[in-house]
Every structure is written in C-alpha cells, then in structure tokens.
Amino acid sequence: AKAAAEAKVAAEAKAAAEAKAAAEKAAAEQAALAKAAAEAETAAAEADAQATAEEAEPQKAAGKKKKGKKGKKAAQEVDADVPHLVQGKIDMGSHAIHFESNKNILLAESYPVLDQVVKIIASNPAAHFLVEGHSSDAGHTPEIEAFEIQLSQERAEAVVDYLVAKGAPRSRLVAKGFGKSVPIATNETAEGRAKNRRVEFTVVQTDL
C-alpha cells in the first residue's frame, strides 16, 4: 500500500511538472509571437514614415519653387510700381505727388517719387516733357475756376523747379496747368477728387 501511494505521488508530481513545462513552453511561444508582431508593426510604421517623407519631398520642393516664383513675381510687381516711361508718358504706378492744401508747396513724401522722375529724364536725354498740373472741381464760379487754373499751373511749375534743382535740364521741361478740364475720376466723391488732383508727365517732343 505504501509503495502504491508513493508511486501515485510520483506520478502526480511528474504530471504536474510536465504540465508546468508545457505551460511555460506555450507562454514562451506566445511571447515570441507577440515580439514578432511588435517588430513587424514597428517596421511597418517606419516604412510608412519613410514613404510619407519621400512623398513629401517633391511637394516640399514644389512649394519652395512656387514660393520662389511668388517672391519673384512680387519683386516684379514692386518694380512695375516704380515710376517708369511707357507709351510717351511716365507711369507713376500707385504713387502721387502731394502738396500742402490749396498751395503749391510740395510735401516731403513726394521727393522720392520725383527723384525717380529725375532718373527717367536723365535716361531719356532726347525727350522733352510736359509737366501737367490738374485740379479737382471745387465749384463753378469764375473765381473758383480761375483759382483752379492758377493753382494747377503753380504746382506744375513747383515740380519743374524741383526737378531742375535735382539736375534735370529746364530746357526739356514745360509746365502747364489744366485746372479741372481733364478729370480721370468723378468729382462727386472725395476719392475721385483726390485722384483728379495730380501731376502728370508727357513726352511732347523727341530730338532727332
């Protein structure tokens, strides 16, 4: 009986050991599978990241190229806004020549623009320019109209004086005031009247 009991205990111990070994083997295999899956997932994520980066490179390069073109275009627009001679007139771009209200005294903010005009005159030595003074419509009485003509004439002459002081030859410049006779915008609004109060430069003669 004792021998039988010992044999039974030994058999149960062996079975328990085998079961434990089997469980450990299964756990090891499961851990190995989990590790392999994690490594595969990491590799896939790295591959996705690499593909995304490679896909983004051409777009990034295109973006830089587009940005470069945009910057170049902006520079060209800036250059186009500088006063320049075109079709017999000096295109002032978005710039204007400003005076004190109802006077022929130039404001300092107009000096850089007029300095550009001096350069244009110097680079076109055969051209003679009519410096035109224009006013807005401030009223219809003879006194007001006479004042507008006089003020536009005096402003044109003030511009000529500035250009000559900066080196432009007076012999190639003629000042003429047109008053309100040549509007380029409506006189019904403040914005329109501001546009009409202007100085323009037109080529009237070219030496052969």
Side-chain angles (χ1 to χ4, degrees):
K2 182 179 180 181
E6 289 177 350
K8 183 179 180 181
V9 171
E12 290 176 350
K14 182 179 179 181
E18 290 175 350
K20 182 180 180 181
E24 290 176 349
K25 183 179 179 180
E29 290 176 350
Q30 189 174 1
L33 290 173
K35 182 179 180 182
E39 290 176 348
E41 185 175 353
T42 300
E46 291 176 349
D48 288 344
Q50 180 66 25
T52 301
E54 290 176 354
E55 183 179 353
E57 276 302 319
Q59 295 177 353
K60 186 177 180 181
K64 288 182 179 179
K65 187 175 181 181
K66 186 176 180 180
K67 185 177 181 181
K69 287 183 177 180
K70 186 176 181 181
K72 185 176 181 181
K73 183 179 179 181
Q76 291 174 343
E77 289 176 351
V78 170
D79 290 341
D81 195 42
V82 173
H84 58 284
L85 187 63
V86 56
Q87 297 181 349
K89 292 180 72 73
I90 294 180
D91 186 342
M92 301 298 287
S94 64
H95 305 286
I97 298 170
H98 300 284
F99 300 83
E100 291 186 11
S101 180
N102 291 327
K103 296 181 181 179
N104 65 341
I105 300 175
L106 284 163
L107 295 180
E109 64 193 62
S110 300
Y111 297 165
V113 182
L114 291 174
D115 291 343
Q116 291 293 327
V117 174
V118 172
K119 292 179 181 179
I120 294 172
I121 294 172
S123 62
N124 294 273
H128 292 244
F129 293 85
L130 175 64
V131 181
E132 306 174 12
H134 299 273
S135 70
S136 59
D137 187 352
H140 301 285
T141 67
E143 293 80 9
I144 291 176
E145 292 180 353
F147 173 76
E148 290 168 346
I149 291 288
Q150 180 182 352
L151 181 61
S152 62
Q153 177 67 34
E154 291 177 351
R155 286 182 168 179
E157 292 173 354
V159 169
V160 169
D161 289 342
Y162 180 92
L163 299 177
V164 171
K166 288 291 184 172
R170 188 179 292 274
S171 60
R172 293 199 287 124
L173 301 171
V174 176
K176 182 173 177 58
F178 289 84
K180 64 182 181 184
S181 64
V182 192
I184 59 173
T186 179
N187 279 297
E188 299 301 318
T189 65
E191 182 181 1
R193 289 190 293 273
K195 289 181 178 180
N196 288 331
R197 294 190 294 271
R198 69 196 188 278
V199 175
E200 296 183 343
F201 304 86
T202 304
V203 176
V204 291
Q205 177 185 338
T206 302
D207 294 333
L208 300 177

